[in-house]
Amino acid sequence: MTTEETARTGAEPQAEQEHDVFAQLCPSREMFAELADKWSLLILMSLSACGPQRFSELQRGVGGVSRKMLTQSLRNLERSGLVLRTVFPETPPRVVYDLRPLGRELAELVAPLGHWTERRARQMLAAREEFDAAHPEGSR
Amino acid sequence: MTTEETARTGAEPQAEQEHDVFAQLCPSREMFAELADKWSLLILMSLSACGPQRFSELQRGVGGVSRKMLTQSLRNLERSGLVLRTVFPETPPRVVYDLRPLGRELAELVAPLGHWTERRARQMLAAREEFDAAHPEGSR
DNA sequence: AGACCAGGTCTCTGATAGAGACCAAGCATG
DNA sequence: CATGCTTGGTCTCTATCAGAGACCTGGTCT
């Protein structure tokens, strides 16, 4: 029995599951919830693919991210120990972000997800068109 | 040179990148953006770990998901060809969701991400506490 | 004296997630 | 007969959140 199965098939109404992303109250779910969003994942992928980058490089690299969300996501990743933020006290200021070992581990799992999406995007778009054609609009 | 690198290091201001999740206007980014959210990923993981499930089983399985978000995410996954929805015209109705090959492929990439989070949650929480202690509140 | 740079923060507004009520069809119960 | 129960949703309302754009800091260049 795997982790999920023990945690989920059982009828025990235990509130404090220790290692179950499926359990609403589990710390791992909390972590999962804040890592599993597009900006955090793209940032990890960018740092993994292109190495250490400064704030503005990341902003250019991750197309469409706002300064606000970039700051927020980076702070989050830093706080959780995935990313290292280094400030060089020059003028104009220079701030460089890099993966820490924990972040590198995760990035290596996330990268395939990105590549898969790139490979399969066309196929998924085709499926969408087919679906939309089959379900004109006001069905169901 | 990998996909990301060709797409990003170049100075060419090409708007229509074909396979680049980093490009705001690329179709693969669009797909990535709607797959990379916690509910969709958890649903894929649940279907992958526990096999075909009906709506209410999924709702119980994926702790904390609202009927609204469950419907929305499932519809999305179905539309993109990742999930198959089967209605059995009984009463009360029975609707079963299962992975299609495309979805199974993706789920196999997503599962490790979930397990990693479960393994590392404790470590990340510790990092958070350390960070919060080092940055009392009104720093920066 | 302006203007510019990087790396942010602040404010305001439109989109979005979640809570909870409602619904339809058919069966079981009182 | 009227009620209540079931599943798989939808509808509405509100709290939260993401994005756009203005502003800030402070040192250097013109």
PDB file of all heavy atoms in Angstrom, chain C residues 5 7 10 20 25-26 30, chain D residues 1 5-6 11 21 24-26:
ATOM      1  P    DC C   5      17.156  53.828 -18.304  1.00  0.00           P
ATOM      2  OP1  DC C   5      17.591  53.264 -19.589  1.00  0.00           O
ATOM      3  OP2  DC C   5      15.710  54.043 -18.015  1.00  0.00           O
ATOM      4  O5'  DC C   5      17.748  52.932 -17.131  1.00  0.00           O
ATOM      5  C5'  DC C   5      19.149  52.667 -17.092  1.00  0.00           C
ATOM      6  C4'  DC C   5      19.523  52.160 -15.723  1.00  0.00           C
ATOM      7  O4'  DC C   5      19.420  53.241 -14.780  1.00  0.00           O
ATOM      8  C3'  DC C   5      18.553  51.100 -15.189  1.00  0.00           C
ATOM      9  O3'  DC C   5      19.040  49.815 -15.563  1.00  0.00           O
ATOM     10  C2'  DC C   5      18.634  51.292 -13.683  1.00  0.00           C
ATOM     11  C1'  DC C   5      19.137  52.732 -13.492  1.00  0.00           C
ATOM     12  N1   DC C   5      18.160  53.647 -12.848  1.00  0.00           N
ATOM     13  C2   DC C   5      18.417  54.096 -11.558  1.00  0.00           C
ATOM     14  O2   DC C   5      19.437  53.720 -10.988  1.00  0.00           O
ATOM     15  N3   DC C   5      17.528  54.933 -10.967  1.00  0.00           N
ATOM     16  C4   DC C   5      16.435  55.319 -11.630  1.00  0.00           C
ATOM     17  N4   DC C   5      15.595  56.153 -11.016  1.00  0.00           N
ATOM     18  C5   DC C   5      16.153  54.862 -12.950  1.00  0.00           C
ATOM     19  C6   DC C   5      17.034  54.030 -13.517  1.00  0.00           C
ATOM     20  P    DG C   7      18.185  44.027 -10.580  1.00  0.00           P
ATOM     21  OP1  DG C   7      19.226  43.152  -9.992  1.00  0.00           O
ATOM     22  OP2  DG C   7      17.412  43.591 -11.750  1.00  0.00           O
ATOM     23  O5'  DG C   7      17.181  44.424  -9.415  1.00  0.00           O
ATOM     24  C5'  DG C   7      17.704  44.696  -8.123  1.00  0.00           C
ATOM     25  C4'  DG C   7      16.581  45.136  -7.226  1.00  0.00           C
ATOM     26  O4'  DG C   7      16.039  46.362  -7.735  1.00  0.00           O
ATOM     27  C3'  DG C   7      15.386  44.157  -7.179  1.00  0.00           C
ATOM     28  O3'  DG C   7      14.980  43.997  -5.822  1.00  0.00           O
ATOM     29  C2'  DG C   7      14.334  44.873  -7.982  1.00  0.00           C
ATOM     30  C1'  DG C   7      14.647  46.299  -7.613  1.00  0.00           C
ATOM     31  N9   DG C   7      14.008  47.307  -8.457  1.00  0.00           N
ATOM     32  C8   DG C   7      13.727  47.227  -9.798  1.00  0.00           C
ATOM     33  N7   DG C   7      13.127  48.297 -10.268  1.00  0.00           N
ATOM     34  C5   DG C   7      13.009  49.128  -9.158  1.00  0.00           C
ATOM     35  C6   DG C   7      12.439  50.418  -9.042  1.00  0.00           C
ATOM     36  O6   DG C   7      11.916  51.109  -9.914  1.00  0.00           O
ATOM     37  N1   DG C   7      12.522  50.915  -7.736  1.00  0.00           N
ATOM     38  C2   DG C   7      13.094  50.242  -6.683  1.00  0.00           C
ATOM     39  N2   DG C   7      13.079  50.873  -5.508  1.00  0.00           N
ATOM     40  N3   DG C   7      13.629  49.037  -6.774  1.00  0.00           N
ATOM     41  C4   DG C   7      13.551  48.538  -8.042  1.00  0.00           C
ATOM     42  P    DC C  10       4.736  48.854   0.897  1.00  0.00           P
ATOM     43  OP1  DC C  10       4.978  49.576   2.164  1.00  0.00           O
ATOM     44  OP2  DC C  10       4.256  47.449   0.911  1.00  0.00           O
ATOM     45  O5'  DC C  10       3.737  49.725  -0.004  1.00  0.00           O
ATOM     46  C5'  DC C  10       4.100  51.048  -0.402  1.00  0.00           C
ATOM     47  C4'  DC C  10       2.935  51.703  -1.130  1.00  0.00           C
ATOM     48  O4'  DC C  10       3.007  51.349  -2.529  1.00  0.00           O
ATOM     49  C3'  DC C  10       1.546  51.297  -0.639  1.00  0.00           C
ATOM     50  O3'  DC C  10       0.759  52.470  -0.443  1.00  0.00           O
ATOM     51  C2'  DC C  10       0.992  50.408  -1.739  1.00  0.00           C
ATOM     52  C1'  DC C  10       1.767  50.850  -2.981  1.00  0.00           C
ATOM     53  N1   DC C  10       2.072  49.745  -3.941  1.00  0.00           N
ATOM     54  C2   DC C  10       1.861  49.941  -5.306  1.00  0.00           C
ATOM     55  O2   DC C  10       1.403  51.015  -5.699  1.00  0.00           O
ATOM     56  N3   DC C  10       2.160  48.940  -6.166  1.00  0.00           N
ATOM     57  C4   DC C  10       2.658  47.785  -5.706  1.00  0.00           C
ATOM     58  N4   DC C  10       2.949  46.840  -6.599  1.00  0.00           N
ATOM     59  C5   DC C  10       2.881  47.569  -4.318  1.00  0.00           C
ATOM     60  C6   DC C  10       2.576  48.563  -3.471  1.00  0.00           C
ATOM     61  P    DG C  20     -20.385  27.664   4.747  1.00  0.00           P
ATOM     62  OP1  DG C  20     -20.650  28.287   6.054  1.00  0.00           O
ATOM     63  OP2  DG C  20     -19.862  26.282   4.651  1.00  0.00           O
ATOM     64  O5'  DG C  20     -21.713  27.769   3.867  1.00  0.00           O
ATOM     65  C5'  DG C  20     -22.263  29.052   3.600  1.00  0.00           C
ATOM     66  C4'  DG C  20     -23.411  28.902   2.637  1.00  0.00           C
ATOM     67  O4'  DG C  20     -22.907  28.749   1.285  1.00  0.00           O
ATOM     68  C3'  DG C  20     -24.297  27.672   2.901  1.00  0.00           C
ATOM     69  O3'  DG C  20     -25.645  28.092   2.908  1.00  0.00           O
ATOM     70  C2'  DG C  20     -23.968  26.746   1.747  1.00  0.00           C
ATOM     71  C1'  DG C  20     -23.683  27.769   0.647  1.00  0.00           C
ATOM     72  N9   DG C  20     -22.963  27.239  -0.502  1.00  0.00           N
ATOM     73  C8   DG C  20     -21.931  26.333  -0.506  1.00  0.00           C
ATOM     74  N7   DG C  20     -21.497  26.047  -1.713  1.00  0.00           N
ATOM     75  C5   DG C  20     -22.293  26.812  -2.542  1.00  0.00           C
ATOM     76  C6   DG C  20     -22.296  26.925  -3.956  1.00  0.00           C
ATOM     77  O6   DG C  20     -21.570  26.353  -4.778  1.00  0.00           O
ATOM     78  N1   DG C  20     -23.269  27.813  -4.402  1.00  0.00           N
ATOM     79  C2   DG C  20     -24.124  28.512  -3.587  1.00  0.00           C
ATOM     80  N2   DG C  20     -24.991  29.313  -4.186  1.00  0.00           N
ATOM     81  N3   DG C  20     -24.132  28.416  -2.258  1.00  0.00           N
ATOM     82  C4   DG C  20     -23.198  27.549  -1.812  1.00  0.00           C
ATOM     83  P    DA C  25     -36.814  16.340 -14.027  1.00  0.00           P
ATOM     84  OP1  DA C  25     -37.013  16.224 -15.500  1.00  0.00           O
ATOM     85  OP2  DA C  25     -37.909  16.799 -13.144  1.00  0.00           O
ATOM     86  O5'  DA C  25     -36.309  14.935 -13.491  1.00  0.00           O
ATOM     87  C5'  DA C  25     -35.073  14.401 -13.975  1.00  0.00           C
ATOM     88  C4'  DA C  25     -34.924  12.987 -13.423  1.00  0.00           C
ATOM     89  O4'  DA C  25     -34.372  13.055 -12.096  1.00  0.00           O
ATOM     90  C3'  DA C  25     -36.242  12.235 -13.329  1.00  0.00           C
ATOM     91  O3'  DA C  25     -36.024  10.939 -13.837  1.00  0.00           O
ATOM     92  C2'  DA C  25     -36.581  12.259 -11.834  1.00  0.00           C
ATOM     93  C1'  DA C  25     -35.222  12.431 -11.163  1.00  0.00           C
ATOM     94  N9   DA C  25     -35.198  13.266  -9.963  1.00  0.00           N
ATOM     95  C8   DA C  25     -35.952  14.364  -9.678  1.00  0.00           C
ATOM     96  N7   DA C  25     -35.688  14.922  -8.515  1.00  0.00           N
ATOM     97  C5   DA C  25     -34.672  14.129  -8.001  1.00  0.00           C
ATOM     98  C6   DA C  25     -33.940  14.177  -6.800  1.00  0.00           C
ATOM     99  N6   DA C  25     -34.137  15.110  -5.861  1.00  0.00           N
ATOM    100  N1   DA C  25     -32.998  13.242  -6.602  1.00  0.00           N
ATOM    101  C2   DA C  25     -32.799  12.315  -7.539  1.00  0.00           C
ATOM    102  N3   DA C  25     -33.422  12.161  -8.717  1.00  0.00           N
ATOM    103  C4   DA C  25     -34.357  13.106  -8.886  1.00  0.00           C
ATOM    104  P    DG C  26     -37.208   9.859 -14.015  1.00  0.00           P
ATOM    105  OP1  DG C  26     -36.830   8.984 -15.158  1.00  0.00           O
ATOM    106  OP2  DG C  26     -38.516  10.560 -13.980  1.00  0.00           O
ATOM    107  O5'  DG C  26     -37.046   9.007 -12.685  1.00  0.00           O
ATOM    108  C5'  DG C  26     -35.829   8.299 -12.481  1.00  0.00           C
ATOM    109  C4'  DG C  26     -35.763   7.826 -11.065  1.00  0.00           C
ATOM    110  O4'  DG C  26     -35.713   8.967 -10.180  1.00  0.00           O
ATOM    111  C3'  DG C  26     -36.990   7.009 -10.611  1.00  0.00           C
ATOM    112  O3'  DG C  26     -36.512   5.775 -10.118  1.00  0.00           O
ATOM    113  C2'  DG C  26     -37.613   7.846  -9.509  1.00  0.00           C
ATOM    114  C1'  DG C  26     -36.411   8.625  -9.010  1.00  0.00           C
ATOM    115  N9   DG C  26     -36.698   9.855  -8.273  1.00  0.00           N
ATOM    116  C8   DG C  26     -37.523  10.883  -8.635  1.00  0.00           C
ATOM    117  N7   DG C  26     -37.561  11.860  -7.762  1.00  0.00           N
ATOM    118  C5   DG C  26     -36.708  11.433  -6.749  1.00  0.00           C
ATOM    119  C6   DG C  26     -36.333  12.060  -5.527  1.00  0.00           C
ATOM    120  O6   DG C  26     -36.703  13.152  -5.092  1.00  0.00           O
ATOM    121  N1   DG C  26     -35.429  11.290  -4.802  1.00  0.00           N
ATOM    122  C2   DG C  26     -34.960  10.072  -5.209  1.00  0.00           C
ATOM    123  N2   DG C  26     -34.102   9.464  -4.378  1.00  0.00           N
ATOM    124  N3   DG C  26     -35.291   9.465  -6.338  1.00  0.00           N
ATOM    125  C4   DG C  26     -36.163  10.208  -7.057  1.00  0.00           C
ATOM    126  P    DG C  30     -39.693   4.564   8.045  1.00  0.00           P
ATOM    127  OP1  DG C  30     -38.882   4.722   9.281  1.00  0.00           O
ATOM    128  OP2  DG C  30     -40.349   3.271   7.748  1.00  0.00           O
ATOM    129  O5'  DG C  30     -40.795   5.709   8.021  1.00  0.00           O
ATOM    130  C5'  DG C  30     -40.448   7.078   8.293  1.00  0.00           C
ATOM    131  C4'  DG C  30     -41.721   7.898   8.467  1.00  0.00           C
ATOM    132  O4'  DG C  30     -42.415   7.954   7.192  1.00  0.00           O
ATOM    133  C3'  DG C  30     -42.713   7.303   9.460  1.00  0.00           C
ATOM    134  O3'  DG C  30     -43.357   8.348  10.188  1.00  0.00           O
ATOM    135  C2'  DG C  30     -43.716   6.557   8.579  1.00  0.00           C
ATOM    136  C1'  DG C  30     -43.727   7.423   7.316  1.00  0.00           C
ATOM    137  N9   DG C  30     -44.012   6.681   6.090  1.00  0.00           N
ATOM    138  C8   DG C  30     -43.547   5.441   5.734  1.00  0.00           C
ATOM    139  N7   DG C  30     -43.972   5.051   4.559  1.00  0.00           N
ATOM    140  C5   DG C  30     -44.772   6.104   4.121  1.00  0.00           C
ATOM    141  C6   DG C  30     -45.497   6.246   2.917  1.00  0.00           C
ATOM    142  O6   DG C  30     -45.594   5.473   1.972  1.00  0.00           O
ATOM    143  N1   DG C  30     -46.173   7.470   2.884  1.00  0.00           N
ATOM    144  C2   DG C  30     -46.133   8.419   3.876  1.00  0.00           C
ATOM    145  N2   DG C  30     -46.841   9.514   3.657  1.00  0.00           N
ATOM    146  N3   DG C  30     -45.457   8.289   5.000  1.00  0.00           N
ATOM    147  C4   DG C  30     -44.798   7.108   5.053  1.00  0.00           C
TER     148       DG C  30
ATOM    149  P    DC D   1     -51.023  10.492  -4.376  1.00  0.00           P
ATOM    150  OP1  DC D   1     -50.351  11.106  -5.485  1.00  0.00           O
ATOM    151  OP2  DC D   1     -50.251   9.738  -3.390  1.00  0.00           O
ATOM    152  O5'  DC D   1     -51.946  11.635  -3.693  1.00  0.00           O
ATOM    153  C5'  DC D   1     -52.528  11.413  -2.417  1.00  0.00           C
ATOM    154  C4'  DC D   1     -51.659  11.938  -1.288  1.00  0.00           C
ATOM    155  O4'  DC D   1     -51.002  10.832  -0.633  1.00  0.00           O
ATOM    156  C3'  DC D   1     -50.539  12.902  -1.722  1.00  0.00           C
ATOM    157  O3'  DC D   1     -50.653  14.083  -0.934  1.00  0.00           O
ATOM    158  C2'  DC D   1     -49.217  12.190  -1.395  1.00  0.00           C
ATOM    159  C1'  DC D   1     -49.651  11.195  -0.320  1.00  0.00           C
ATOM    160  N1   DC D   1     -48.885   9.912  -0.309  1.00  0.00           N
ATOM    161  C2   DC D   1     -48.098   9.615   0.811  1.00  0.00           C
ATOM    162  O2   DC D   1     -48.045  10.422   1.757  1.00  0.00           O
ATOM    163  N3   DC D   1     -47.401   8.446   0.849  1.00  0.00           N
ATOM    164  C4   DC D   1     -47.469   7.600  -0.182  1.00  0.00           C
ATOM    165  N4   DC D   1     -46.790   6.466  -0.109  1.00  0.00           N
ATOM    166  C5   DC D   1     -48.266   7.878  -1.340  1.00  0.00           C
ATOM    167  C6   DC D   1     -48.939   9.030  -1.354  1.00  0.00           C
ATOM    168  P    DC D   5     -33.404  13.594   5.015  1.00  0.00           P
ATOM    169  OP1  DC D   5     -33.011  13.235   6.389  1.00  0.00           O
ATOM    170  OP2  DC D   5     -33.244  14.985   4.532  1.00  0.00           O
ATOM    171  O5'  DC D   5     -32.625  12.627   4.025  1.00  0.00           O
ATOM    172  C5'  DC D   5     -32.837  11.212   4.072  1.00  0.00           C
ATOM    173  C4'  DC D   5     -32.350  10.604   2.777  1.00  0.00           C
ATOM    174  O4'  DC D   5     -33.364  10.834   1.771  1.00  0.00           O
ATOM    175  C3'  DC D   5     -31.069  11.264   2.246  1.00  0.00           C
ATOM    176  O3'  DC D   5     -29.951  10.385   2.348  1.00  0.00           O
ATOM    177  C2'  DC D   5     -31.351  11.528   0.778  1.00  0.00           C
ATOM    178  C1'  DC D   5     -32.723  10.973   0.516  1.00  0.00           C
ATOM    179  N1   DC D   5     -33.505  11.915  -0.322  1.00  0.00           N
ATOM    180  C2   DC D   5     -33.912  11.497  -1.581  1.00  0.00           C
ATOM    181  O2   DC D   5     -33.622  10.351  -1.962  1.00  0.00           O
ATOM    182  N3   DC D   5     -34.596  12.357  -2.378  1.00  0.00           N
ATOM    183  C4   DC D   5     -34.872  13.589  -1.937  1.00  0.00           C
ATOM    184  N4   DC D   5     -35.568  14.389  -2.751  1.00  0.00           N
ATOM    185  C5   DC D   5     -34.467  14.036  -0.647  1.00  0.00           C
ATOM    186  C6   DC D   5     -33.788  13.182   0.121  1.00  0.00           C
ATOM    187  P    DT D   6     -28.478  10.956   1.992  1.00  0.00           P
ATOM    188  OP1  DT D   6     -27.536  10.150   2.775  1.00  0.00           O
ATOM    189  OP2  DT D   6     -28.517  12.426   2.102  1.00  0.00           O
ATOM    190  O5'  DT D   6     -28.284  10.605   0.442  1.00  0.00           O
ATOM    191  C5'  DT D   6     -28.281   9.234   0.012  1.00  0.00           C
ATOM    192  C4'  DT D   6     -28.352   9.190  -1.494  1.00  0.00           C
ATOM    193  O4'  DT D   6     -29.622   9.748  -1.914  1.00  0.00           O
ATOM    194  C3'  DT D   6     -27.320  10.060  -2.191  1.00  0.00           C
ATOM    195  O3'  DT D   6     -26.124   9.345  -2.362  1.00  0.00           O
ATOM    196  C2'  DT D   6     -27.993  10.330  -3.540  1.00  0.00           C
ATOM    197  C1'  DT D   6     -29.487  10.244  -3.227  1.00  0.00           C
ATOM    198  N1   DT D   6     -30.201  11.543  -3.304  1.00  0.00           N
ATOM    199  C2   DT D   6     -30.925  11.823  -4.429  1.00  0.00           C
ATOM    200  O2   DT D   6     -30.986  11.077  -5.382  1.00  0.00           O
ATOM    201  N3   DT D   6     -31.573  13.031  -4.413  1.00  0.00           N
ATOM    202  C4   DT D   6     -31.563  13.967  -3.391  1.00  0.00           C
ATOM    203  O4   DT D   6     -32.194  15.011  -3.486  1.00  0.00           O
ATOM    204  C5   DT D   6     -30.775  13.617  -2.239  1.00  0.00           C
ATOM    205  C7   DT D   6     -30.677  14.559  -1.065  1.00  0.00           C
ATOM    206  C6   DT D   6     -30.134  12.431  -2.248  1.00  0.00           C
ATOM    207  P    DC D  11     -26.158  27.852 -14.178  1.00  0.00           P
ATOM    208  OP1  DC D  11     -27.200  28.071 -15.203  1.00  0.00           O
ATOM    209  OP2  DC D  11     -24.738  28.084 -14.503  1.00  0.00           O
ATOM    210  O5'  DC D  11     -26.518  28.721 -12.877  1.00  0.00           O
ATOM    211  C5'  DC D  11     -27.667  28.385 -12.101  1.00  0.00           C
ATOM    212  C4'  DC D  11     -27.811  29.354 -10.923  1.00  0.00           C
ATOM    213  O4'  DC D  11     -27.139  28.789  -9.779  1.00  0.00           O
ATOM    214  C3'  DC D  11     -27.209  30.736 -11.150  1.00  0.00           C
ATOM    215  O3'  DC D  11     -28.154  31.727 -10.758  1.00  0.00           O
ATOM    216  C2'  DC D  11     -25.961  30.760 -10.287  1.00  0.00           C
ATOM    217  C1'  DC D  11     -26.256  29.727  -9.214  1.00  0.00           C
ATOM    218  N1   DC D  11     -25.040  28.962  -8.772  1.00  0.00           N
ATOM    219  C2   DC D  11     -24.818  28.757  -7.412  1.00  0.00           C
ATOM    220  O2   DC D  11     -25.604  29.227  -6.594  1.00  0.00           O
ATOM    221  N3   DC D  11     -23.723  28.059  -7.023  1.00  0.00           N
ATOM    222  C4   DC D  11     -22.888  27.563  -7.946  1.00  0.00           C
ATOM    223  N4   DC D  11     -21.837  26.864  -7.520  1.00  0.00           N
ATOM    224  C5   DC D  11     -23.097  27.761  -9.335  1.00  0.00           C
ATOM    225  C6   DC D  11     -24.183  28.463  -9.709  1.00  0.00           C
ATOM    226  P    DG D  21      -1.000  49.492 -17.949  1.00  0.00           P
ATOM    227  OP1  DG D  21      -1.783  50.221 -18.970  1.00  0.00           O
ATOM    228  OP2  DG D  21       0.214  48.741 -18.322  1.00  0.00           O
ATOM    229  O5'  DG D  21      -0.633  50.516 -16.785  1.00  0.00           O
ATOM    230  C5'  DG D  21      -1.675  51.135 -16.028  1.00  0.00           C
ATOM    231  C4'  DG D  21      -1.068  51.886 -14.861  1.00  0.00           C
ATOM    232  O4'  DG D  21      -0.706  50.958 -13.813  1.00  0.00           O
ATOM    233  C3'  DG D  21       0.226  52.644 -15.211  1.00  0.00           C
ATOM    234  O3'  DG D  21       0.129  53.957 -14.704  1.00  0.00           O
ATOM    235  C2'  DG D  21       1.306  51.828 -14.529  1.00  0.00           C
ATOM    236  C1'  DG D  21       0.542  51.345 -13.307  1.00  0.00           C
ATOM    237  N9   DG D  21       1.151  50.219 -12.608  1.00  0.00           N
ATOM    238  C8   DG D  21       1.771  49.120 -13.148  1.00  0.00           C
ATOM    239  N7   DG D  21       2.218  48.287 -12.238  1.00  0.00           N
ATOM    240  C5   DG D  21       1.883  48.883 -11.030  1.00  0.00           C
ATOM    241  C6   DG D  21       2.111  48.462  -9.706  1.00  0.00           C
ATOM    242  O6   DG D  21       2.670  47.430  -9.309  1.00  0.00           O
ATOM    243  N1   DG D  21       1.604  49.363  -8.774  1.00  0.00           N
ATOM    244  C2   DG D  21       0.961  50.531  -9.100  1.00  0.00           C
ATOM    245  N2   DG D  21       0.549  51.276  -8.080  1.00  0.00           N
ATOM    246  N3   DG D  21       0.734  50.942 -10.332  1.00  0.00           N
ATOM    247  C4   DG D  21       1.224  50.067 -11.243  1.00  0.00           C
ATOM    248  P    DC D  24       6.834  59.103  -4.230  1.00  0.00           P
ATOM    249  OP1  DC D  24       6.438  59.704  -2.938  1.00  0.00           O
ATOM    250  OP2  DC D  24       7.394  59.968  -5.307  1.00  0.00           O
ATOM    251  O5'  DC D  24       7.856  57.918  -3.934  1.00  0.00           O
ATOM    252  C5'  DC D  24       7.534  56.940  -2.945  1.00  0.00           C
ATOM    253  C4'  DC D  24       8.768  56.070  -2.663  1.00  0.00           C
ATOM    254  O4'  DC D  24       8.992  55.186  -3.779  1.00  0.00           O
ATOM    255  C3'  DC D  24      10.057  56.888  -2.502  1.00  0.00           C
ATOM    256  O3'  DC D  24      10.773  56.376  -1.404  1.00  0.00           O
ATOM    257  C2'  DC D  24      10.794  56.651  -3.812  1.00  0.00           C
ATOM    258  C1'  DC D  24      10.353  55.225  -4.140  1.00  0.00           C
ATOM    259  N1   DC D  24      10.466  54.860  -5.577  1.00  0.00           N
ATOM    260  C2   DC D  24      11.191  53.715  -5.929  1.00  0.00           C
ATOM    261  O2   DC D  24      11.726  53.048  -5.041  1.00  0.00           O
ATOM    262  N3   DC D  24      11.283  53.379  -7.241  1.00  0.00           N
ATOM    263  C4   DC D  24      10.689  54.129  -8.165  1.00  0.00           C
ATOM    264  N4   DC D  24      10.798  53.747  -9.431  1.00  0.00           N
ATOM    265  C5   DC D  24       9.945  55.293  -7.828  1.00  0.00           C
ATOM    266  C6   DC D  24       9.860  55.628  -6.532  1.00  0.00           C
ATOM    267  P    DT D  25      11.729  57.376  -0.527  1.00  0.00           P
ATOM    268  OP1  DT D  25      11.065  57.533   0.773  1.00  0.00           O
ATOM    269  OP2  DT D  25      12.034  58.546  -1.394  1.00  0.00           O
ATOM    270  O5'  DT D  25      13.104  56.610  -0.318  1.00  0.00           O
ATOM    271  C5'  DT D  25      13.215  55.175  -0.430  1.00  0.00           C
ATOM    272  C4'  DT D  25      14.573  54.815  -1.016  1.00  0.00           C
ATOM    273  O4'  DT D  25      14.403  54.470  -2.420  1.00  0.00           O
ATOM    274  C3'  DT D  25      15.591  55.956  -0.964  1.00  0.00           C
ATOM    275  O3'  DT D  25      16.794  55.475  -0.385  1.00  0.00           O
ATOM    276  C2'  DT D  25      15.763  56.348  -2.415  1.00  0.00           C
ATOM    277  C1'  DT D  25      15.478  55.030  -3.142  1.00  0.00           C
ATOM    278  N1   DT D  25      15.039  55.138  -4.560  1.00  0.00           N
ATOM    279  C2   DT D  25      15.425  54.151  -5.462  1.00  0.00           C
ATOM    280  O2   DT D  25      16.114  53.207  -5.159  1.00  0.00           O
ATOM    281  N3   DT D  25      14.975  54.332  -6.739  1.00  0.00           N
ATOM    282  C4   DT D  25      14.190  55.378  -7.199  1.00  0.00           C
ATOM    283  O4   DT D  25      13.851  55.425  -8.376  1.00  0.00           O
ATOM    284  C5   DT D  25      13.827  56.372  -6.211  1.00  0.00           C
ATOM    285  C7   DT D  25      12.989  57.540  -6.617  1.00  0.00           C
ATOM    286  C6   DT D  25      14.267  56.202  -4.957  1.00  0.00           C
ATOM    287  P    DG D  26      17.910  56.528   0.245  1.00  0.00           P
ATOM    288  OP1  DG D  26      17.706  56.625   1.687  1.00  0.00           O
ATOM    289  OP2  DG D  26      17.849  57.781  -0.582  1.00  0.00           O
ATOM    290  O5'  DG D  26      19.311  55.848  -0.022  1.00  0.00           O
ATOM    291  C5'  DG D  26      19.535  54.876  -1.066  1.00  0.00           C
ATOM    292  C4'  DG D  26      20.508  55.379  -2.126  1.00  0.00           C
ATOM    293  O4'  DG D  26      19.806  55.449  -3.385  1.00  0.00           O
ATOM    294  C3'  DG D  26      21.061  56.790  -1.914  1.00  0.00           C
ATOM    295  O3'  DG D  26      22.305  56.892  -2.617  1.00  0.00           O
ATOM    296  C2'  DG D  26      20.064  57.641  -2.675  1.00  0.00           C
ATOM    297  C1'  DG D  26      19.957  56.750  -3.910  1.00  0.00           C
ATOM    298  N9   DG D  26      18.887  57.055  -4.838  1.00  0.00           N
ATOM    299  C8   DG D  26      17.874  57.971  -4.703  1.00  0.00           C
ATOM    300  N7   DG D  26      17.086  58.022  -5.747  1.00  0.00           N
ATOM    301  C5   DG D  26      17.608  57.067  -6.611  1.00  0.00           C
ATOM    302  C6   DG D  26      17.173  56.661  -7.898  1.00  0.00           C
ATOM    303  O6   DG D  26      16.214  57.075  -8.548  1.00  0.00           O
ATOM    304  N1   DG D  26      17.997  55.672  -8.422  1.00  0.00           N
ATOM    305  C2   DG D  26      19.103  55.127  -7.795  1.00  0.00           C
ATOM    306  N2   DG D  26      19.773  54.188  -8.449  1.00  0.00           N
ATOM    307  N3   DG D  26      19.507  55.485  -6.593  1.00  0.00           N
ATOM    308  C4   DG D  26      18.719  56.457  -6.063  1.00  0.00           C
TER     309       DG D  26
END
